[in-house]
Amino acid sequence: MATAGVDNLSRLPELKKKILWTFFLLAVYRAGIHIPVPGVDSAALADFFESVSNTLFGLFDMFSGGGLRNLSIFALGIMPYISASIIIQLLNVVSPDLKRLSQEGAQGRKKITQYTRYATVLITVVQGFGIAMGLESMVSPTGAPVVLYAGWSFRLITILTLTAGTVFLMWLGEQMTDRGIGNGISMIIFAGIVAGLPAAIFNTVRLMKAGEITLFLLIFILVFMIAILAFIVFMERGQRRIPIHYAKRMMGRKMMGGQTTHLPLRINTAGVIPPIFASSILLFPTTLASFSNIEWLSKMSAHFRSDSILYNVVFVALIIFFCYFYTAIIFDPKGIAENIQKQGGFIPGIRPGTKTREYIDRVLARITLWGSLYVAAICVIPMLLIAQFNVPFYFGGTALLIVVGVAMDFMGKIESYLISRQYDGLMGKGSKIKGR
């Protein structure tokens, strides 16, 4: 189907236009990564980031596509918007007003999107001020200050520049969603992560020429990578389908119902949010230790290195916890059970109402366990590859889950568009035949 879709691009100018819009807007984003914030010594900043690559700075730099390392106008990337979206989702659980808005259709979703934008600006201002204050205290390993002229003028310029950059990225993502293919926010994160791929390839070739990596090891790594990618695709598409039957009933003069459908429950319902939360928590002590000389904090950060057993055990435990936690937030078995009952549906062998809710909750809990173990395994793989095989690049983890997920969504949107166009063409031919 994908090959046929590529062959049909020339015959579908509208789809071609959407794809070109997507790549153009992504090119605008990548161009902005190289525009620096005024008043920063880029060489000293690059040296500093080399020394703190295993902290939260390294994680945020990956999601910003290298923008934080360069302190560009897009240094914060789209992460403030993602953080605001997660906060609004969490507030939906505890706030009756937000929950009511989310159930009011398009108008309610529009209002929630507006609140998310306001929260994004607020988070960006706070983070921009924190970055400005932190930069003034940073020095490179050689002792060179990162900020050339510290003071309130630098802080205000940094806050305004970073806020404007994040707001522009948010707008760029919305334009990509409307004019292009796929979710614009996800595509921006995807482009930022993939941007580091050429450097990893060049580094691998350099090490192979130097004799540090053998040809046999390189072939083994490539085969292993392909197997991991296939496994991720299989798990991301995996779902448990709960059969639902609808009883026949009279609606006016028509007999309605009598259908059989299913409720799909994804194995990885929580997506990539759990590893992001887990990584942020575990990297927090290391980040604090890099800015302080407190002895106990330095000892704690030493135990929480990414290649230590303690780090990986706690990392896996946190991923499993957040998988259950976030699934409980975004998936409501009670509401689904009530909707099934209202529409006259039932699960074979299960009573409608409370029993249906308990059954869905029980099935969801079982598949979430397997989903959380799968996410944890993918996130631990990079540490094993680097520690055991001396792999010269970071393969796996949250970045790989995002890249594969966005790529699958992108191809799925193209495939859906092609199918809808073929369906419209058949309907058009049918109407002409009927008119004759």
Side-chain angles (χ1 to χ4, degrees):
M1 180 66 73
T3 306
V6 174
D7 295 337
N8 288 332
L9 282 180
S10 59
R11 287 178 281 175
L12 293 172
E14 188 176 345
L15 177 59
K16 187 177 180 180
K17 183 179 178 181
K18 283 180 173 291
I19 294 176
L20 289 176
W21 261 112
T22 301
F23 284 108
F24 170 72
L25 294 174
L26 287 177
V28 172
Y29 159 61
R30 292 308 303 170
I33 287 293
H34 301 286
I35 303 176
V37 172
V40 176
D41 186 346
S42 57
L45 184 64
D47 291 340
F48 173 80
F49 263 93
E50 286 297 329
S51 62
V52 295
S53 58
N54 292 325
T55 65
L56 273 175
F57 291 106
L59 180 67
F60 292 151
D61 185 59
M62 179 185 69
F63 286 113
S64 66
L68 188 58
R69 179 182 296 269
N70 302 327
L71 199 68
S72 71
I73 58 174
F74 297 153
L76 293 177
I78 207 67
M79 286 301 292
Y81 180 81
I82 296 174
S83 301
S85 301
I86 294 172
I87 290 171
I88 295 297
Q89 284 183 346
L90 294 174
L91 289 177
N92 275 342
V93 180
V94 297
S95 173
D97 294 334
L98 282 176
K99 190 172 184 179
R100 187 178 65 254
L101 273 177
S102 63
Q103 297 172 348
E104 289 182 358
Q107 287 298 325
R109 288 193 297 270
K110 186 177 180 181
K111 200 72 176 177
I112 289 177
T113 301
Q114 189 175 358
Y115 291 155
T116 305
R117 290 170 180 166
Y118 293 153
T120 301
V121 174
L122 180 62
I123 291 172
T124 307
V125 169
V126 174
Q127 290 183 347
F129 178 73
I131 287 177
M133 294 293 291
L135 286 171
E136 291 181 346
S137 63
M138 289 180 187
V139 292
S140 69
T142 60
V146 172
V147 178
L148 299 175
Y149 304 101
W152 274 105
S153 59
F154 169 76
R155 296 167 195 168
L156 290 176
I157 289 174
T158 302
I159 292 170
L160 289 174
T161 305
L162 294 180
T163 303
T166 298
V167 171
F168 179 76
L169 268 187
M170 185 170 57
W171 176 83
L172 203 67
E174 293 175 355
Q175 293 299 309
M176 204 178 299
T177 303
D178 295 338
R179 297 171 179 266
I181 294 287
N183 183 282
I185 302 299
S186 300
M187 292 298 295
I188 288 174
I189 299 174
F190 173 87
I193 295 173
V194 172
L197 187 60
I201 294 174
F202 291 145
N203 189 31
T204 304
V205 173
R206 179 181 59 82
L207 291 176
M208 187 176 174
K209 288 181 178 180
E212 296 185 27
I213 296 180
T214 63
L215 180 61
F216 175 78
L217 178 60
L218 183 61
I219 294 174
F220 170 77
I221 292 172
L222 290 175
V223 172
F224 185 74
M225 289 169 60
I226 293 172
I228 291 296
L229 288 173
F231 177 65
I232 292 176
V233 172
F234 174 77
M235 293 298 290
E236 290 297 321
R237 289 183 178 273
Q239 55 183 226
R240 166 70 186 276
R241 297 185 175 184
I242 300 178
I244 300 175
H245 293 179
Y246 289 93
K248 293 183 179 180
R249 53 181 178 172
M250 292 296 297
M251 297 284 291
R253 295 183 178 180
K254 294 183 178 180
M255 180 69 73
M256 305 295 291
Q259 300 174 347
T260 300
T261 182
H262 65 269
L263 173 66
L265 300 179
R266 290 183 57 196
I267 294 178
N268 182 22
T269 306
V272 297
I273 299 301
I276 292 176
F277 281 0
S279 300
S280 301
I281 290 175
L282 286 178
L283 291 175
F284 191 67
T286 309
T287 306
L288 288 180
S290 64
F291 287 100
S292 66
N293 297 320
I294 303 175
E295 185 177 353
W296 67 267
L297 195 58
S298 299
K299 290 181 179 179
M300 181 185 294
S301 65
H303 289 296
F304 278 89
R305 299 192 316 271
S306 59
D307 57 347
S308 67
I309 296 177
L310 178 62
Y311 175 92
N312 286 284
V313 169
V314 177
F315 189 36
V316 170
L318 286 175
I319 287 176
I320 294 174
F321 169 75
F322 282 121
C323 277
Y324 277 99
F325 177 75
Y326 197 68
T327 299
I329 290 175
I330 65 175
F331 196 92
D332 183 16
K334 182 180 179 181
I336 292 175
E338 290 176 353
N339 289 333
I340 292 174
Q341 186 175 13
K342 288 177 183 177
Q343 295 171 8
F346 63 93
I347 298 173
I350 307 295
R351 290 184 179 180
T354 305
K355 293 295 183 181
T356 298
R357 177 186 63 79
E358 292 176 352
Y359 176 77
I360 295 174
D361 206 7
R362 190 165 59 251
V363 172
L364 186 65
R366 286 203 298 266
I367 65 173
T368 300
L369 175 61
W370 292 107
S372 62
L373 292 175
Y374 142 71
V375 174
I378 296 299
C379 292
V380 170
I381 280 173
M383 290 70 170
L384 296 176
L385 288 176
I386 294 171
Q388 300 297 326
F389 300 102
N390 196 26
V391 176
F393 54 86
Y394 189 91
F395 175 79
T398 311
L400 186 60
L401 290 173
I402 293 174
V403 168
V404 174
V406 174
M408 288 172 58
D409 180 66
F410 182 77
M411 295 307 298
K413 291 288 176 62
I414 292 179
E415 191 172 313
S416 299
Y417 188 88
L418 291 172
I419 291 173
S420 66
R421 284 302 175 188
Q422 290 174 1
Y423 179 77
D424 291 342
L426 288 174
M427 291 296 292
K429 291 179 181 179
S431 62
K432 288 180 182 179
I433 293 173
K434 187 176 180 179
R436 288 179 182 176

